[in-house]
């Protein structure tokens, strides 16, 4: 479904599940920041981003996306796209999340995002305390890294903005759930709609509230 929205032009992108920023090879140590958005929602894809920043083109105001207003995230998004040496956003669809579980889906998404960069990262800085086992380069887990490392902050913003835009577009495809407002998180209004309407194709069947809604 997310791919369909990309292809329909409802979410800006040149590719359905993977966007890339192109950068020329540069001398120096290439470090990618990696973060995700959407582990907690009951619906919609998981969005995972990797970013290699250009030290010669700093971006003011980078921070954990959760600490920024929507307006600030939207303002920083194009700056990251334009100034980063390389960037990649990967979407993990609900079906794969249900198959793998959300933790493994996150680990897979992080590896795919780093592998999808147009430049080869020599190290990946991962937000959190776990490292994917199949990273294409060496990695370092940093708890609270989205507020400490600019590259992780940039990745968190790309992941969050991409997913939020997608959920707004999805609201038109699956009306009645309020995706444009709560972005798929288990708010009281979302749970009420889930109880009334039942799950749609974008709901994660392995998550308890959705599973319960499917029970006769």
């Amino acid at each position: 479904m997310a791919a369909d929205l990309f292809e329909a032009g409802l979410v800006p992108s040149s590719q359905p599940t993977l966007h890339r920023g192109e950068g020329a090879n540069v001398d120096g140590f290439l470090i990618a920041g990696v973060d995700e958005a959407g582990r907690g929602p009951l619906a919609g894809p998981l969005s995972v981003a990797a970013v290699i920043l250009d030290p010669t083109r700093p971006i003011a105001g980078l921070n954990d996306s959760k600490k920024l207003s929507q307006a600030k995230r939207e303002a920083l998004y194009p700056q990251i796209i334009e100034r980063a040496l390389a960037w990649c956003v990967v979407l993990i669809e609900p079906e794969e999340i249900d198959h793998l579980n959300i933790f493994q889906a996150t680990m897979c998404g992080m590896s795919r995002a780093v592998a999808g960069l147009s430049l080869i990262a020599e190290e990946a800085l991962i937000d959190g305390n776990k490292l994917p086992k199949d990273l294409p380069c060496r990695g370092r887990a940093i708890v609270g890294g989205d507020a400490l490392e600019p590259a992780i902050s940039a990745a968190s913003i790309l992941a969050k903005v991409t997913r939020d835009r997608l959920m707004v577009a999805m609201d038109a495809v699956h009306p009645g759930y309020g995706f444009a407002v709560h972005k798929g998180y288990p708010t009281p209004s979302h749970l009420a709609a889930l109880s009334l309407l039942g799950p749609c194709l974008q709901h994660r069947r392995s998550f308890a509230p959705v599973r319960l809604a499917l029970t006769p």
Side-chain angles (χ1 to χ4, degrees):
M1 175 57 73
D4 294 339
L5 290 172
F6 276 109
E7 291 170 355
L10 294 175
V11 179
S13 172
S14 59
Q15 300 186 46
T17 59
L18 180 69
H19 331 264
R20 295 179 182 173
E22 298 298 332
N25 283 310
V26 294
D27 294 328
F29 196 70
L30 295 180
I31 299 176
V34 186
D35 203 3
E36 52 73 28
R39 289 184 70 167
L42 305 178
L46 176 74
S47 177
V48 188
V51 178
I52 299 176
L53 292 176
D54 185 347
T56 69
R57 305 184 73 192
I59 302 169
L62 292 176
N63 201 346
D64 174 6
S65 64
K66 296 184 293 296
K67 297 180 180 179
L68 300 172
S69 67
Q70 179 182 350
K72 184 62 174 176
R73 290 194 300 265
E74 289 284 352
L76 286 167
Y77 180 93
Q79 295 183 53
I80 297 167
I81 297 300
E82 195 246 326
R83 298 185 194 180
L85 289 174
W87 60 276
C88 176
V89 180
V90 171
L91 299 176
I92 308 295
E93 299 286 0
E95 184 178 3
E96 187 171 6
I97 293 171
D98 291 335
H99 175 70
L100 294 175
N101 75 49
I102 189 62
F103 173 75
Q104 294 299 335
T106 301
M107 295 296 103
C108 286
M110 288 179 168
S111 295
R112 291 175 194 174
V114 174
L117 290 165
S118 60
L119 297 176
I120 298 175
E122 296 167 85
E123 184 177 36
L125 305 181
I126 307 292
D127 182 54
N129 60 0
K130 301 290 185 182
L131 285 177
K133 295 180 180 179
D134 56 350
L135 274 175
C137 62
R138 73 185 189 189
R140 182 155 45 105
I142 303 176
V143 176
D146 47 6
L148 299 172
E149 292 287 344
I152 301 180
S153 299
S156 76
I157 292 166
L158 291 194
K160 173 69 172 168
V161 171
T162 298
R163 189 179 189 282
D164 282 358
R165 291 178 178 179
L166 182 59
M167 295 308 294
V168 170
M170 220 167 260
D171 189 75
V173 179
H174 299 287
Y177 295 98
F179 289 149
V181 178
H182 53 64
K183 309 301 189 295
Y185 283 88
T187 63
S189 64
H190 186 189
L191 294 174
L194 185 61
S195 177
L196 178 65
L197 302 173
C200 73
L201 292 175
Q202 277 299 307
H203 279 98
R204 302 171 182 179
R205 266 61 181 167
S206 58
F207 282 44
V210 181
R211 192 168 61 247
L212 289 172
L214 287 166
T215 304

